[in-house]
Amino acid sequence: MSNAKNYDVIGIGNAIVDVISPGSDTFLDQMGITKGIMQLIERERAELLYASMERRVEAPGGSVGNTIAGIGELGLQTAFIGKVKDDALGSFYADALRKAGTAFPLPPQNVELPTSRSMIFVSPDGERSMNTYLGAGADISSVDVPDVFGTGLLFLEGYLFDKDEGKTAFSEAAAKMKAAGGRSVITISDPFCAERHRTDFKRLIADDMDIAIGNAAEWMTLYETDDLDKALHMAAEVCDIVACTRSGDAVWVQQGAQRFTADVTAVTPLDATGAGDQFAAGFLYGVSTGRSLDIAAQMGVLCAAEVIAHIGPRPEISMAKVFSEHGLI
């Protein structure tokens, strides 16, 4: 095996630079932005919104990128595979990840499309409205995935499943991970994604994944039922560990017929960006370090609660210290 280092967790996802700015409801109306959802936009619209932002904060983002950063902060050896152009934002992304201690094995590429970016407007009530331009990051294929497979976890981003190249890259990467003695994890990412690619998604979870993470809407969409309990049992019949976040309600983790739960303390969000990403970070940290699934779920809940209490998609305090305070480590 050619990897010199055995990573605890490797992520493959869309490398997106988050550009975050405050945005009033009036501003959102004026700009024709639908509040509270993620919209895909074209390059021209991206430039217009970027120019209209006040007090911009730039941060390396992308769903799985945020999760991997959270796991890295907890002290595990992490790598993130994402595609960026060799432009200013691409260099910023690669440098920021390396400075935070996460390896970025695919260097910025000489490609036509610019680095992906998401203009995120945070309303006074903490709701975020994301306007994402899918540039270079959305075009990951098997040739972009370096051989870094080992005995840890491979974490895959559902958004990249939108293209056939991404589907192939995921299946091939999962097979290589399995051969190296590791396990593979998918985050469903988005109910619309689950709707568009239901058959392929269900096949991937059944054939290639050891762990799958989603929210209630995603699981019910995937299995075409309004009974969440039924959806999770269907998933657990074909996948070893199935985790489900339920907004303000307790998290459910299904393993076979057994259910683990982690209670959620209601927190008024200042900025909901990254809640699901950081749940995944805490949960996968727990799984990676051999914790029981109820403890891993509690770790996920604590990470999500921390990140929604401030602006930005990554933790600002030591989560290891928080875990220790709660008697989890």
Side-chain angles (χ1 to χ4, degrees), residues 36 50 64 241:
Y50 185 82
V64 165
I241 298 170

Side-chain angles (χ1 to χ4, degrees), residues 221-268:
T221 299
L222 190 62
Y223 287 97
E224 295 178 274
T225 174
D226 53 11
D227 181 342
L228 180 60
D229 196 51
K230 182 182 174 187
L232 295 184
H233 276 96
M234 286 170 78
E237 282 173 10
V238 295
C239 185
D240 182 33
I241 298 170
V242 174
C244 178
T245 57
R246 302 186 305 139
S247 293
D249 294 323
V251 168
W252 288 351
V253 179
Q254 197 73 33
Q255 187 174 40
Q258 194 173 8
R259 170 156 307 158
F260 301 84
T261 61
D263 290 330
V264 173
T265 307
V267 178
T268 304

Side-chain angles (χ1 to χ4, degrees), residues 66-149:
N66 288 334
T67 298
I68 294 297
I71 296 170
E73 295 279 333
L74 281 161
L76 297 189
Q77 296 291 325
T78 53
F80 178 68
I81 297 163
K83 195 169 184 176
V84 296
K85 182 180 170 69
D86 52 2
D87 54 14
L89 283 181
S91 300
F92 164 76
Y93 194 98
D95 291 345
L97 242 68
R98 290 193 197 106
K99 277 181 192 148
T102 290
F104 192 69
L106 183 68
Q109 303 287 299
N110 178 16
V111 288
E112 187 186 335
L113 291 176
T115 296
S116 305
R117 79 262 338 243
S118 183
M119 270 60 69
I120 302 172
F121 295 94
V122 181
S123 308
D125 62 359
E127 192 61 75
R128 82 244 197 257
S129 308
M130 303 164 73
N131 303 269
T132 305
Y133 168 62
L134 291 179
D139 283 341
I140 283 210
S141 65
S142 296
V143 296
D144 296 315
V145 180
D147 182 8
V148 290
F149 305 102

Side-chain angles (χ1 to χ4, degrees), residues 271-312:
D271 170 20
T273 313
D277 304 338
Q278 293 311 320
F279 168 79
F283 181 67
L284 294 180
Y285 171 81
V287 169
S288 181
T289 54
R291 299 321 201 267
S292 63
L293 291 177
D294 52 342
I295 297 289
Q298 284 174 43
M299 289 174 161
V301 166
L302 288 171
C303 289
E306 193 283 332
V307 82
I308 65 174
H310 60 75
I311 302 281

